[in-house]
Amino acid sequence: MAGSGTAHLRPAGESVLRIENLLVEFPVGRSGLKVNAVTNVSIDVLPGETLGLVGESGCGKSTMGKAVMQLVHATSGSVLFEGKELTTLSGGDLREVRPKLQMIFQDPISSLNPRRRVRDIVREGLDIWKIGDKAERARRVDDVLETVGIDPAVAGPKRPHEFSGGQCQRISIARAVATNPKLIICDEPVSALDVSVQAQILNLLEDMKRQYGLTLIFIAHDLAVVKNVSDKVAVMYLGKLCEFADPDTLYAEPAHPYTAALLSAIPEPDPEAQRSERAGVGGEIPSPLSPPSGCRFRTRCPAATDICASDEPMMREVRPAHFVACHHPLGDITITAPAANTASAAPVPGTDATVTPPAPWAAPEVTPAAPPVLTPEPTASQTPPSFGADLPSAVPPPMPPAFAPSPPPVAAAPMPPAFAPDPAPPVDSWLTPAPAPAPEPADVPLPPVVDWTPEPPKPSVAHAPEAPIAPAPVVDPSPPPPVFEAPAPTVFEVAAPPSAPDGAPPASEVTDSEGSEFPPPAPPAAEPPTAQSLDTLLPSRSKGGTINPKR
Amino acid sequence: MSPRRRRSNIGTERFEAAPLDGPLLEVKDLKTAFKTARGLARAVDGVTFSLERGRTIGIVGESGSGKSVLSRSIMGLLPRNNIVRSGQALLEGHDLVTASDEQLRALWGAQMAMVFQDPMTSLNPVMKIGNQITEVLRQHLDITKDYSRELALALLQSVGIPEAERRLNEYPHQMSGGMRQRVVIAIAIACGPKLLFADEPTTALDVTVQAQILDLLQEQQRERFMAMILVTHDLGVVATRADDIAVMYAGRVVETAPTRTLFRAMSHPYTEALMRSIPKLAAPSHTRLTAIGGRPPDIINPPTGCQFSPRCPYVQDKCRAEEPPLIDSAEPHHAYRCWFPVGTPENRAALESNQRAGVASAVAMMGAN
Amino acid sequence: MRTAFFKIVRLVIVVFIVTFLSFSMLKLQEAATGSTIIDKVAPFGSPAAKAKLRQQLHLNDPFFMQYGRWLGNAASGDFGLKYTGTGDNASIGTRVSKIVGKELPVSIELMIYAQLLALIIALPLGIFTAYKNGSIFDRVTNIVMFAMLAMPAFLAALALQIWAAKNPNAGLPTQYIGVADFPLTPFTRENLTQMLLPTISLAVAQIAVYMRLLRSDMIATLQEDFITTAKAKGIPPRRVLLRHAFRPSSLTLLTVAGLNVGALIGGAIIVEQIFNLPGIGYELVRSILGSQVIETQAIIAIIAVIYVLVNFLVDILYTVLDPRIRHARAIA
């Protein structure tokens, strides 16, 4: 992701708020280092629109909100609010704009002054900006309190701590709405609330928006919540904008691998749902102190290529009103909403090869011990991300080598090309960077497992080897730093090889929903389309496991 | 049918067939109350369930439902001086409620362990990661220091921590949240416990890391054949990871069922309401959510009758007067606490009469569905 | 490494400021009262003797030069003379460094004893009362500590002195008794007997301060999640308290123990007076009363530098105790 550019902005005259190339940096101590909280983000909001800003912690979404409010200083870039440039406004001029810009915070209780009465809190804005006379202000306060569902007569004289979180959030909304603002920035307004209360507040926000003709920026990490309230959704990652689109489009057909990963990571409250989340993205967010070059998501991206490290992708339109900053956007092939989309998890042959993460964990010393060498059990996070499967085959076959080259610490085992030569075991690099470091002879036994160690009811060959992958172009890649964090593939199954089911069905059938409640830990998100019997695959799998370390 | 599914079926069957004598954990009418200035706060009020070896039960509830207290109460981690406990929690037949501190200490870490919510605070900030792991190993296993370090290293690797060797000598603040939670898990599984409590293990983590941690927990659970109690507020988390689910409300289990049964045939109005109030990814943008009006009851002065009655769209006079027991449904292992379970004709009749009478929560349901 | 360098630079600067202030303070006083050092040191000296003394003290040099010279000498351990003559013999005297060299160890010994005693009593009490928070023992201890907190060192010293006088059987001297072995060798029986009462008087208030601080920090730490984690590992309470809870709880205590050196010095001056202990505090009072300006200057500067050094050490100890501080500083 990690894109700059302004292609997605609507015509300047139409928007209430238009942020262009916003850059916010925070110095870290005396080190001279800077946290790149927001880097060259451009975004705009039309009147009456709700813009959802999503991303994980550290993506800069909250900083964006604060920068709009001028609560943090923008290093560069512009924030145009109703045509007025806020970043250069002086204190006095800024004060005039303030009543039109309001903010609602995450922690409803601590964001209200504990010493003041509810009525005073709500009236404060009116007092400060001298809106109306005393009687009018009092009337206004009662009005807004009533609209948010708080009885002004009862609640007015009370103080915030006498209310629950949900009620405090209602009071916060009343406070924000009181000055008749144009734009309200909601910074994680429901993430501190229980689900049942969360629904109340979300509904309330929708009502208030309609009633007062508000424009909202809704910042949250919960994609489902954002989808529910937004007219436009912007996905951020590590201070950059990834994708910008209508929610229904974005959620149904994410074009950015990060968006796809986020979506697939959401646990859906539906046991029948295909376990798309198993396919989440590996690793964690890199430090904003030294973000990766080029596309900032490339270190975790299954589709990353050389260009991602060298060139920063710009926002571009992949379909009407759907913008993405990615060199290799997903899409074009039929993709449905991840929740519903069980069938489309079918892998596109070849794409898996693209996802080779560097394998910092491939070092042989890493091998933990395990019960006598059996079939290596693929750990979950090694599974191919489902969105990997969503990759259109049209996408330039992304380069395994890009990653692979980062040589495994094992001196003797140059693994990059190792993939190609060893076609039998999957080169599905998500599964195992290399054919999996084999269990070292058990000199470092795992801590005592339960003494009776029954056979875990676990399919051990969860991921059948792939069909040989399209030969990966051997490129000399500048390896991206192995920021990748992946679980050590070193956990081995205690179970005897399970009786192989009769013949591996084609991958397209992965959708069977009637399996057990215990889906295998590492289901192959991608099964080879080739019908290769499991029986034949099994041995090669375990062989791959044992042989590898000696290489 | 995919091979994956097929195989996991086989696994489940084998598992069920395994001749193990009795459930690993049996909780019988467990009550836990806190002494407060206003009176007894009944955080857990008569919870009964049992858990087989290697299975996962998901405990779902909102804040204040008693779900976290329940797990700590079973484990015996609550401070003894200001709580009142009754009932039984039998771990392989040994009652944890009446166990002495010494007895519990022998079980903690060794037979049962807990993964806490916030990895930022659940590791000792001034102790090296390695020492925090070897500590528990050496406490319960008679092993040398060197060997415990080897085990610690193997554990870190098995929970997917890269460069484990180096990490042993690091402090928690040098690691990311996801990595720390992996360490917490490594500590919890270190001595091969039979029972693992995971108390909101991913709530404090980012979405993408959440999935990784849940996968790791599940994988370790299978690997070691642990039973797991997965406490969460998120139905999504348990939907695909638990064998059985118990929904808690105001200290009681209001509905319990195997996961699929629960989602297919949820019978308690609270469970239904909880499901409806979650924004769904599949639903189009701006779908109106069915919020649950009102607030959870005061557990110090609970209402008479059904605890959910003040917020329930189907509430009838009987509900306000008499608390329903756990009633078995037609489905196996499915029970609920409701006089007018969702999906029955009585339930529909109740809703209609409430809508005619203008009960707010019932009227709100009219727009829904 | 860079931080360590900065820290030392800062230390040096502070030492400069502190010595400069203590040097100039007396100069200022001189300017204010109109009486010169010469008048004080040699009130009856002849003009010639005074001139000689003036020469010897370089009083004709500009102020900063005087300071520089003084500082340079002080750095090499020469603080000038304590003048003993009053008339024409004005320029003879004893080396201040010699006096201080004998007396400083006594004071330091006293302070270390007091600090140790305070910690030895306060730490276990603090940990235990925190563990048994709310118990009878906790409440009683707290009341006693409150009382001790309210008792200044001189009151404790006088009370102990009276008690020792009334109970001669206890064998504790009410006054310092000169012995050949001077300064006293630490931890000998004689030394301990001599130092016991002064130490207790000085420690009383500190015990209460330390104990209450540690107790409240421990109580907060014991609520932390990682303590529950440790408990859930099956670690015995004793180890949970000592290995897990104590270290994170000791930071405030450490800070206060460092800052308290100031209070200890103040207390030591009084306690030394009461028990006639030939320490630096005792000497300081005598030098002030005797208008030994140069000696006073020296002692104040030494005390100030000791104070700064102790707090510098405390600062370093932080990083040992809390790796988070260590790493945060490494970044900054």
Side-chain angles (χ1 to χ4, degrees), chain A residues 1-2 54-61 220-221 223 234-243 250 254-266 280-286 295-298 300-303 324-326 328-330 387 391, chain B residues 206-209:
Chain A
M1 58 114 68
V54 259
E56 295 178 281
S57 56
C59 75
K61 56 190 192 300
H221 65 274
L223 284 94
V235 182
M236 289 184 71
Y237 181 81
L238 210 55
K240 293 272 189 184
L241 196 60
C242 298
E243 192 163 0
L250 182 98
H256 200 287
Y258 177 63
T259 313
L262 266 185
L263 285 170
S264 68
I266 299 178
V281 67
E284 290 177 27
I285 300 179
C295 172
R296 290 191 179 174
F297 185 58
R298 71 177 161 84
R300 300 168 74 192
C301 183
V324 65
C326 180
H328 313 295
L330 311 169
F387 56 83
L391 282 175
Chain B
D206 275 327
V207 194
T208 52
V209 182

Side-chain angles (χ1 to χ4, degrees), chain A residues 92-160:
Chain A
D93 294 337
L94 198 57
R95 273 176 57 87
E96 284 183 15
V97 182
R98 287 249 189 246
K100 297 182 183 171
L101 272 173
Q102 287 291 331
M103 192 157 184
I104 296 169
F105 297 91
Q106 169 170 7
D107 186 338
I109 298 174
S110 68
S111 66
L112 299 176
N113 187 339
R115 293 172 195 285
R116 308 204 59 189
R117 298 173 194 285
V118 166
R119 195 169 263 148
D120 299 332
I121 291 173
V122 176
R123 202 185 50 228
E124 191 168 28
L126 300 172
D127 289 345
I128 292 174
W129 288 294
K130 311 251 182 320
I131 299 172
D133 60 26
K134 223 172 166 187
E136 281 168 5
R137 285 179 209 167
R139 219 171 24 247
R140 175 76 180 166
V141 169
D142 286 2
D143 279 355
V144 290
L145 276 176
E146 230 155 77
T147 27
V148 298
I150 300 255
D151 184 348
V154 177
K158 290 191 181 171
R159 293 192 166 81

Side-chain angles (χ1 to χ4, degrees), chain B residues 224-333:
Chain B
R224 288 149 202 266
F225 203 63
M226 293 181 289
M228 180 155 80
I229 296 184
L230 180 57
V231 176
T232 178
H233 68 278
D234 190 342
L235 275 169
V237 166
V238 286
T240 48
R241 319 238 176 208
D243 300 302
D244 300 285
I245 293 179
V247 179
M248 285 191 72
Y249 186 77
R252 293 159 176 78
V253 170
V254 294
E255 183 161 11
T256 171
T259 306
R260 273 154 199 278
T261 310
L262 185 87
F263 281 89
R264 178 163 35 80
M266 46 184 64
S267 297
H268 198 281
Y270 175 68
T271 317
E272 183 200 37
L274 206 54
M275 259 313 269
R276 289 194 183 191
S277 61
I278 305 174
K280 312 282 182 311
L281 267 187
S285 183
H286 298 293
T287 302
R288 184 106 185 144
L289 302 168
T290 316
I292 310 177
R295 285 207 271 161
D298 180 1
I299 52 174
I300 294 176
N301 295 304
T304 54
C306 172
Q307 298 294 303
F308 189 57
S309 60
R311 306 170 76 185
C312 183
Y314 315 111
V315 61
Q316 298 295 300
D317 289 343
K318 184 177 186 187
C319 306
R320 298 193 188 94
E322 200 180 336
E323 173 156 25
L326 264 179
I327 302 165
D328 285 328
S329 90
E331 306 260 2
H333 310 300

Side-chain angles (χ1 to χ4, degrees), chain A residues 56-57 194 196 200 203 206 227-228 230-231 272 275 281 284 366 377 457 485 488 491 510 518-519 521 523, chain B residues 4-5 9 11 62-63 151 157 176 179 190 206 208 212 222-223 240 260 281 283 285-289 292:
Chain A
E56 295 178 281
S57 56
D194 270 325
S196 65
Q200 296 172 12
N203 285 342
E206 291 273 46
K227 182 180 184 189
N228 184 269
S230 306
D231 301 304
E272 314 291 333
R275 297 292 295 279
V281 67
E284 290 177 27
V366 171
E377 148 154 41
E485 163 227 326
V491 180
V510 175
F518 246 137
Chain B
R4 163 164 40 141
R5 287 299 177 181
N9 273 347
E62 296 183 87
S63 53
L151 289 184
Q157 287 160 348
S176 68
M179 282 294 146
D206 275 327
T208 52
Q212 296 171 10
R222 299 240 174 98
E223 188 96 353
T240 48
R260 273 154 199 278
L281 267 187
S285 183
H286 298 293
T287 302
R288 184 106 185 144
L289 302 168
I292 310 177

Side-chain angles (χ1 to χ4, degrees), chain A residues 52-425:
Chain A
L53 219 50
V54 259
E56 295 178 281
S57 56
C59 75
K61 56 190 192 300
S62 288
T63 309
M64 283 274 292
K66 289 181 186 146
V68 171
M69 294 296 293
Q70 303 300 312
L71 296 177
V72 300
H73 176 72
T75 312
S76 70
S78 89
V79 177
L80 280 175
F81 176 67
E82 295 190 311
K84 232 179 253 166
E85 175 59 57
L86 297 188
T87 51
T88 53
L89 280 192
S90 64
D93 294 337
L94 198 57
R95 273 176 57 87
E96 284 183 15
V97 182
R98 287 249 189 246
K100 297 182 183 171
L101 272 173
Q102 287 291 331
M103 192 157 184
I104 296 169
F105 297 91
Q106 169 170 7
D107 186 338
I109 298 174
S110 68
S111 66
L112 299 176
N113 187 339
R115 293 172 195 285
R116 308 204 59 189
R117 298 173 194 285
V118 166
R119 195 169 263 148
D120 299 332
I121 291 173
V122 176
R123 202 185 50 228
E124 191 168 28
L126 300 172
D127 289 345
I128 292 174
W129 288 294
K130 311 251 182 320
I131 299 172
D133 60 26
K134 223 172 166 187
E136 281 168 5
R137 285 179 209 167
R139 219 171 24 247
R140 175 76 180 166
V141 169
D142 286 2
D143 279 355
V144 290
L145 276 176
E146 230 155 77
T147 27
V148 298
I150 300 255
D151 184 348
V154 177
K158 290 191 181 171
R159 293 192 166 81
H161 66 87
E162 297 174 69
F163 296 91
S164 69
Q167 284 171 308
C168 280
Q169 204 57 296
R170 286 171 189 271
I171 295 167
S172 292
I173 293 174
R175 179 191 56 73
V177 167
T179 58
N180 221 346
K182 279 270 166 352
L183 177 69
I184 298 185
I185 295 171
C186 310
D187 189 0
E188 302 264 11
V190 295
S191 44
L193 306 176
D194 270 325
V195 272
S196 65
V197 183
Q198 167 180 311
Q200 296 172 12
I201 298 297
L202 291 176
N203 285 342
L204 176 66
L205 276 173
E206 291 273 46
D207 295 342
M208 300 305 277
K209 186 184 152 196
R210 209 173 313 122
Q211 185 167 349
Y212 293 95
L214 298 172
T215 305
L216 298 181
I217 294 184
F218 191 96
I219 301 169
H221 65 274
D222 185 329
L223 284 94
V225 166
V226 168
K227 182 180 184 189
N228 184 269
V229 299
S230 306
D231 301 304
K232 286 280 179 190
V233 176
V235 182
M236 289 184 71
Y237 181 81
L238 210 55
K240 293 272 189 184
L241 196 60
C242 298
E243 192 163 0
F244 182 80
D246 297 335
D248 293 326
T249 319
L250 182 98
Y251 285 65
E253 303 177 56
H256 200 287
Y258 177 63
T259 313
L262 266 185
L263 285 170
S264 68
I266 299 178
E268 273 285 278
D270 176 11
E272 314 291 333
Q274 192 56 236
R275 297 292 295 279
S276 54
E277 76 258 35
R278 305 215 121 271
V281 67
E284 290 177 27
I285 300 179
S287 162
L289 282 174
S290 50
S293 65
C295 172
R296 290 191 179 174
F297 185 58
R298 71 177 161 84
T299 52
R300 300 168 74 192
C301 183
T305 58
D306 288 353
I307 191 177
C308 302
S310 55
D311 293 0
E312 185 188 335
M314 289 289 158
M315 289 296 279
R316 59 186 164 122
E317 194 163 18
V318 286
R319 21 183 111 76
H322 187 169
F323 297 85
V324 65
C326 180
H327 293 300
H328 313 295
L330 311 169
D332 293 341
I333 61 162
T334 54
I335 308 170
T336 39
N341 147 7
T342 47
S344 68
V348 176
T351 46
D352 287 329
T354 70
V355 299
T356 318
W361 28 284
E365 33 156 330
V366 171
T367 320
V373 183
L374 288 168
T375 23
E377 148 154 41
T379 53
S381 33
Q382 298 165 249
T383 340
S386 70
F387 56 83
D390 292 342
L391 282 175
S393 30
V395 167
M399 45 4 326
F403 278 111
S406 100
V410 199
M415 50 184 355
F419 287 138
D422 189 7

Side-chain angles (χ1 to χ4, degrees), chain C residues 110-327:
Chain C
L110 174 63
M111 288 190 273
I112 290 178
Y113 277 157
Q115 197 79 295
L116 280 181
L117 180 69
L119 290 174
I120 287 172
I121 297 177
L123 295 190
L125 268 183
I127 293 174
F128 192 72
T129 50
Y131 180 55
K132 293 283 177 195
N133 179 17
S135 65
I136 302 275
F137 178 80
D138 177 37
R139 276 181 257 172
V140 171
T141 311
N142 267 305
I143 293 169
V144 173
M145 287 297 153
F146 249 124
M148 285 167 67
L149 202 55
M151 194 185 305
F154 73 87
L155 194 62
L158 289 175
L160 284 171
Q161 204 170 37
I162 292 168
W163 174 81
K166 287 194 168 180
N167 297 279
N169 292 341
L172 295 171
T174 58
Q175 297 281 305
Y176 168 75
I177 307 157
V179 282
D181 181 19
F182 185 85
L184 303 166
T185 319
F187 299 113
T188 58
R189 192 186 148 77
E190 173 138 27
N191 167 282
L192 289 177
T193 327
Q194 293 263 352
M195 292 299 244
L196 185 63
L197 294 186
T199 302
I200 294 176
S201 342
L202 201 49
V204 165
Q206 316 291 336
I207 294 175
V209 172
Y210 295 164
M211 179 263 162
R212 291 180 54 81
L213 259 176
L214 182 61
R215 176 178 171 275
S216 63
D217 277 9
M218 278 290 279
I219 288 175
T221 307
L222 288 175
Q223 309 289 327
E224 298 268 358
D225 289 351
F226 67 82
I227 297 297
T228 319
T229 308
K231 239 177 105 182
K233 286 190 208 170
I235 310 291
R238 191 190 164 84
R239 194 178 152 87
V240 171
L241 286 174
L242 296 180
R243 279 283 283 158
H244 289 268
F246 176 61
R247 212 164 90 167
S249 312
S250 55
L251 286 182
T252 328
L253 180 69
L254 183 68
T255 317
V256 172
L259 295 175
N260 245 353
V261 170
L264 276 177
I265 293 170
I269 292 174
I270 291 164
V271 169
E272 285 172 9
Q273 291 299 315
I274 292 173
F275 287 98
N276 238 352
L277 209 58
I280 201 168
Y282 181 73
E283 188 61 32
L284 179 64
V285 174
R286 284 207 309 189
S287 79
I288 293 171
L289 295 178
S291 293
Q292 288 296 341
V293 182
I294 293 169
E295 191 188 15
T296 311
Q297 241 174 11
I299 294 177
I300 291 177
I302 290 169
I303 289 175
V305 169
I306 290 176
Y307 184 74
V308 171
L309 279 177
V310 166
N311 280 285
F312 174 71
L313 288 180
V314 165
D315 202 36
I316 290 176
L317 265 181
Y318 272 160
T319 59
V320 175
L321 278 179
D322 194 334
R324 286 169 297 182
I325 297 176
R326 180 152 75 233
H327 294 113

